[in-house]
Amino acid sequence: MDHDHISNLPRIILHDILSRLSEKDAARTSVLSKAWAETWSTFPILSFCDTKIVGTFPQPMKDFFRKRRLFIDYVKRTLLRFRDQVLAVKEFKLGVNSFDLHYMSKDVDLWLKLAGESGVEVLQVCLPDRADQDGEGQELCYVLPIGVLESKSLKKIELMGGIRVDPAFMNCSIKFFSLRELSLWSVLLGDEQAIEYLISRCPLLEYVTLKCCSVLNPGGAGGLLESRTCQIKSIRMRGLPKLKGVDVQGIQEVYVDAPSLENLCFCPGDFNAPCKLEFERCTNLKGLHLWSFKSTIITEKWFIELFFKFPLLESLKLDNCTMSERICISSDKLKVLMLSGCSNLKEVIIDAPNLSSGQFCGDGIGAEKPIISFLRSSSQLEVKVMMFLDHLDLCNLRGFLQNFKPLNALASLSLFIHQPFVDEFNPVVLQDSSSLPIIKLLDLRSVPKNETFFWPVVNSLLSSCCPETITLSLHSFFCSRAFIEFFYETLMGRKENDCFCSSGSAKCWWHGLKGVKVTNTRNADDNVDFKTMLDALPTWAIHDNIIFRLEL
């Protein structure tokens, strides 16, 4: 008889095993044996979500109130058990969606207190977003107790939703030496200086995330909370010798003075307001992500100064930024480059011998197709392109792809093709296929549903490139089964009589395919009949794809 050696492992190792499983699978281990049941009951990662007990609506109010009490009692009972048995709580995660914040604020106070008494290291609290408020704005936000951060064991805190940090934190003289990570999402600050002061009291902070936070505006008018709040104007981060990562969204002016900083992400939020970012002293910066950085036009000179000031920069991502028409990017250190939503670009010249990943995203191509050239590049370089296209853009797709120099750098192309608003769609006329770009992957994320456009779309795509692999979404909202079947029949040559090459001497390249292997993300067996495979697959599987592997 086989012995269960795993159950006899030290509890600390069993806990480590559970931490690597999903929450659902970790809970299931409790039925395996008595040892696993004890392991689960002492597992130091506690995660509570009210919807798992309350369920979904609509439901009778009587049942809702009963389930709400069950949830509150369950959380309290669990935390009391850990405290009374002197069991450690490494992580405490709380997600509340169905409860009134005013109703349960005292319960949350108690839960945080009990978690702190059990040596909690990671605290994650997600509460419902703020809504209408009373005259003072007091009842609809959970006020964070100052004692939460005083826990000497706390290393990471993440707050999200209807939570308020009051000015009382500014009266605290205690330094929170244990805190390494601070993350605030959609949190309300009672004073604009509260968060800056709080950060200054955490000298060993390594990561700071501030997203969509706001400040209570005493001069606001009206009865809605939105009219009494405003965007945070500015924030300064200094005196943080350990700071490695900063992610700020929704603050107009950001000043960072941290020589140890490695990664910085900035999005000002209000696109019409002027914004400012100062980080010149962060000379060890390795990753920079600017998102909707509109107040500065990014020019060729900007890139030269950037790489001069930050010689260690390896990753640069520019998302929806204002740029000049022609830019040159030159760096021996750069490994990752992303340009997204920079629609006015006409030419990009990249001289980066160690670049291994390039990403380009855009809305439409237009008649003036941008030229993207790589003067020096790594043999490992893979360029990924994602485009949102209408039917007219398909006519320019081939020229757009051919403007990548060299062509073999282009590895994958992901397309979202909009449904045409007109009844007629003039397809691309097939040209000589000898110069078509060969790419590793053509990923069709979204295609038209009207069967009238199936052939023009397929012909345009296959007349623009020769992909080694083609994927189609199985989600019926993005791709119909009729389109998948049509695409398959086209590749297998059954639609040859309808093809434009039938009247000419030059044949479409896909009619000469050596073979087509069809699989899907749920089953890699390419010996299954195509129709049988489709019948067995769900139609609303958002992450699943049909995969066509072509033998060219």
Side-chain angles (χ1 to χ4, degrees):
M1 182 177 181
D2 295 334
H3 295 284
D4 181 8
H5 296 292
I6 296 180
S7 298
N8 294 325
L9 292 172
R11 181 168 294 175
I12 189 173
I13 296 179
L14 297 180
H15 283 163
D16 183 67
I17 294 174
L18 292 185
S19 69
R20 299 172 188 273
L21 302 176
S22 66
E23 184 180 337
K24 185 176 181 180
D25 290 338
R28 286 176 174 175
T29 62
S30 62
V31 301
L32 296 177
S33 66
K34 182 179 179 181
W36 279 109
E38 292 178 353
T39 299
W40 173 246
S41 68
T42 59
F43 187 44
I45 300 178
L46 301 182
S47 180
F48 303 99
C49 181
D50 63 334
T51 55
K52 294 181 180 179
I53 293 180
V54 176
T56 58
F57 291 92
Q59 61 175 294
M61 291 304 296
K62 182 179 180 181
D63 292 344
F64 169 73
F65 290 135
R66 177 180 57 82
K67 293 175 182 177
R68 180 172 70 177
R69 175 45 55 188
L70 284 175
F71 174 76
I72 292 173
D73 290 344
Y74 171 62
V75 178
K76 179 180 177 181
R77 187 171 62 253
T78 303
L79 288 168
L80 284 173
R81 177 171 61 82
F82 270 75
R83 186 196 65 177
D84 295 342
Q85 296 181 14
V86 197
L87 298 172
V89 176
K90 288 187 177 181
E91 299 184 19
F92 176 67
K93 303 176 183 180
L94 175 65
V96 176
N97 298 293
S98 309
F99 297 169
D100 186 348
L101 292 174
H102 178 60
Y103 174 84
M104 61 179 301
S105 60
K106 292 183 179 179
D107 294 299
V108 177
D109 284 347
L110 176 61
W111 298 342
L112 297 183
K113 180 177 180 294
L114 292 173
E117 293 175 354
S118 297
V120 65
E121 297 180 4
V122 177
L123 182 64
Q124 185 182 86
V125 181
C126 180
L127 301 182
D129 290 335
R130 316 185 290 272
D132 294 351
Q133 50 126 22
D134 65 1
E136 300 297 326
Q138 297 290 325
E139 295 186 351
L140 297 179
C141 283
Y142 171 70
V143 180
L144 185 70
I146 195 169
V148 169
L149 293 180
E150 293 178 352
S151 175
K152 294 182 179 180
S153 59
L154 195 60
K155 296 180 179 178
K156 176 180 178 180
I157 183 167
E158 182 175 327
L159 306 178
M160 183 182 301
I163 301 173
R164 191 172 77 222
V165 179
D166 272 354
F169 278 87
M170 296 184 64
N171 300 323
C172 178
S173 60
I174 300 175
K175 284 187 177 289
F176 310 112
F177 286 101
S178 60
L179 201 63
R180 300 298 192 274
E181 297 185 43
L182 177 65
S183 179
L184 305 180
W185 295 53
S186 300
V187 170
L188 177 64
L189 306 174
D191 185 284
E192 185 161 321
Q193 304 302 318
I195 183 61
E196 191 171 310
Y197 184 81
L198 174 59
I199 291 175
S200 71
R201 309 310 295 170
C202 307
L204 300 184
L205 266 181
E206 297 179 7
Y207 301 96
V208 176
T209 300
L210 305 173
K211 295 188 177 182
C212 304
C213 295
S214 55
V215 62
L216 192 61
N217 180 13
L224 295 179
L225 185 60
E226 285 76 6
S227 64
R228 292 176 53 84
T229 63
C230 59
Q231 182 180 7
I232 300 174
K233 298 296 182 182
S234 67
I235 188 169
R236 295 179 181 271
M237 301 184 197
R238 53 192 173 189
L240 302 172
K242 301 290 185 179
L243 192 62
K244 295 179 181 179
V246 171
D247 188 350
V248 176
Q249 296 181 22
I251 300 179
Q252 290 178 235
E253 298 181 0
V254 175
Y255 305 86
V256 184
D257 183 356
S260 61
L261 190 72
E262 295 180 357
N263 290 285
L264 174 61
C265 179
F266 175 58
C267 175
D270 188 348
F271 302 154
N272 297 319
C275 62
K276 189 174 184 179
L277 175 64
E278 288 191 6
F279 58 105
E280 281 75 10
R281 291 174 60 86
C282 305
T283 53
N284 287 308
L285 194 70
K286 294 182 179 180
L288 176 63
H289 184 182
L290 298 181
W291 180 17
S292 296
F293 193 63
K294 297 285 189 179
S295 62
T296 299
I297 298 178
I298 297 178
T299 63
E300 190 168 317
K301 179 182 177 183
W302 184 91
F303 284 102
I304 294 174
E305 293 177 350
L306 178 73
F307 291 111
F308 177 76
K309 293 177 181 178
F310 309 101
L312 301 181
L313 194 66
E314 297 179 350
S315 175
L316 177 61
K317 300 180 180 181
L318 303 176
D319 195 338
N320 195 28
C321 296
T322 303
M323 304 182 71
S324 57
E325 292 184 350
R326 183 186 185 278
I327 59 173
C328 179
I329 301 174
S330 179
S331 169
D332 289 339
K333 288 287 186 179
L334 194 64
K335 296 180 180 179
V336 176
L337 174 65
M338 184 192 80
L339 301 177
S340 177
C342 305
S343 56
N344 58 324
L345 274 179
K346 294 183 179 179
E347 184 176 8
V348 182
I349 301 173
I350 302 168
D351 184 10
N354 289 303
L355 190 70
S356 59
S357 174
Q359 299 180 45
F360 301 90
C361 308
D363 295 323
I365 298 173
E368 294 187 4
K369 298 169 282 293
I371 300 174
I372 302 176
S373 304
F374 298 88
L375 299 184
R376 291 185 299 165
S377 60
S378 166
S379 59
Q380 305 300 317
L381 174 63
E382 288 196 349
V383 177
K384 300 180 179 179
V385 176
M386 179 182 293
M387 302 295 294
F388 293 81
L389 306 178
D390 60 27
H391 64 289
L392 295 177
D393 287 319
L394 287 175
C395 300
N396 298 312
L397 181 60
R398 177 170 177 167
F400 169 73
L401 297 179
Q402 289 176 327
N403 275 349
F404 279 87
K405 314 291 183 183
L407 276 176
N408 59 6
L410 184 58
S412 70
L413 174 65
S414 298
L415 298 178
F416 294 79
I417 306 173
H418 304 306
Q419 177 76 23
F421 292 104
V422 295
D423 295 331
E424 295 183 1
F425 182 178
N426 296 322
V428 172
V429 177
L430 183 67
Q431 302 176 21
D432 179 16
S433 62
S434 60
S435 61
L436 288 183
I438 297 178
I439 60 176
K440 293 181 180 179
L441 173 64
L442 173 61
D443 179 22
L444 299 180
R445 302 286 184 92
S446 176
V447 295
K449 297 179 181 179
N450 190 332
E451 295 189 19
T452 305
F453 304 118
F454 284 3
W455 170 244
V457 167
V458 171
N459 180 68
S460 297
L461 292 173
L462 298 183
S463 297
S464 301
C465 62
C466 294
E468 297 177 0
T469 300
I470 303 171
T471 60
L472 296 172
S473 172
L474 281 172
H475 197 293
S476 58
F477 181 80
F478 301 105
C479 182
S480 65
R481 172 167 175 156
F483 185 88
I484 295 175
E485 292 177 338
F486 182 91
F487 205 97
Y488 174 75
E489 291 176 356
T490 300
L491 291 176
M492 298 303 290
R494 296 172 190 166
K495 293 289 183 181
E496 185 172 357
N497 293 332
D498 299 329
C499 184
F500 296 113
C501 73
S502 58
S503 59
S505 57
K507 289 294 182 180
C508 304
W509 65 265
W510 60 89
H511 293 154
L513 286 175
K514 297 177 182 178
V516 179
K517 295 182 180 180
V518 187
T519 59
N520 62 81
T521 46
R522 292 178 177 243
N523 185 357
D525 186 1
D526 56 16
N527 294 317
V528 179
D529 177 71
F530 175 72
K531 188 176 185 305
T532 302
M533 178 194 301
L534 278 186
D535 291 338
L537 292 172
T539 59
W540 291 89
I542 194 167
H543 297 297
D544 289 337
N545 296 320
I546 283 283
I547 304 169
F548 298 94
R549 290 185 172 85
L550 313 185
E551 295 182 40
L552 302 176

